Amino acid sequence: EFRRVLFRSESGIGAYLVSQAFIHRFEVFYWRERNDEVDFILRKKGSVVAIEVKSNAEKRTEGLDKFRQLFHPTASFIVGDGGIGASEF
């Protein structure tokens, strides 16, 4: 089940995505199932992109892996440690 994003601990990335969603007309959600979650799910015209935001302390990617298996997103990636740098995003 997708849920709309209002406020998350990844607030800087979330604020950017929500502002871009308004301009470029895509939807922003987050996904959670039991202990698995993905920070941001973007959806536009049937395309889905999954984004997980990681800090130094967080290394767990099981939620992103599970989401990939269940929903086969068009793209998925990590922002932060182990992925795209937040400043590059």
Side-chain angles (χ1 to χ4, degrees), residues 32-49:
R32 184 173 190 158
E33 185 175 285
R34 296 189 182 122
N35 291 330
D36 296 319
E37 70 174 2
V38 175
D39 296 321
F40 301 102
I41 308 299
L42 313 181
R43 183 171 65 186
K44 181 175 183 175
K45 297 182 181 179
S47 292
V48 174
V49 175

Side-chain angles (χ1 to χ4, degrees), residues 10 13-14 39-40 51-55 58 77-81:
E10 302 82 9
I13 300 294
D39 296 321
F40 301 102
I51 301 172
E52 183 68 18
V53 180
K54 293 293 180 193
S55 67
E58 298 177 285
F77 54 92
I78 296 170
V79 175
D81 289 354

Side-chain angles (χ1 to χ4, degrees), residues 18-88:
V18 169
S19 70
Q20 293 301 300
F22 180 75
I23 295 166
H24 298 287
R25 300 187 184 268
F26 59 86
E27 296 174 284
V28 181
F29 303 89
Y30 74 95
W31 174 79
R32 184 173 190 158
E33 185 175 285
R34 296 189 182 122
N35 291 330
D36 296 319
E37 70 174 2
V38 175
D39 296 321
F40 301 102
I41 308 299
L42 313 181
R43 183 171 65 186
K44 181 175 183 175
K45 297 182 181 179
S47 292
V48 174
V49 175
I51 301 172
E52 183 68 18
V53 180
K54 293 293 180 193
S55 67
N56 290 336
E58 298 177 285
K59 300 296 181 196
R60 186 177 171 273
T61 62
E62 287 89 353
L64 187 58
D65 297 337
K66 178 80 170 202
F67 187 88
R68 288 175 179 146
Q69 291 173 358
L70 292 173
F71 299 104
H72 309 286
T74 306
S76 60
F77 54 92
I78 296 170
V79 175
D81 289 354
I84 299 169
S87 60
E88 297 168 35

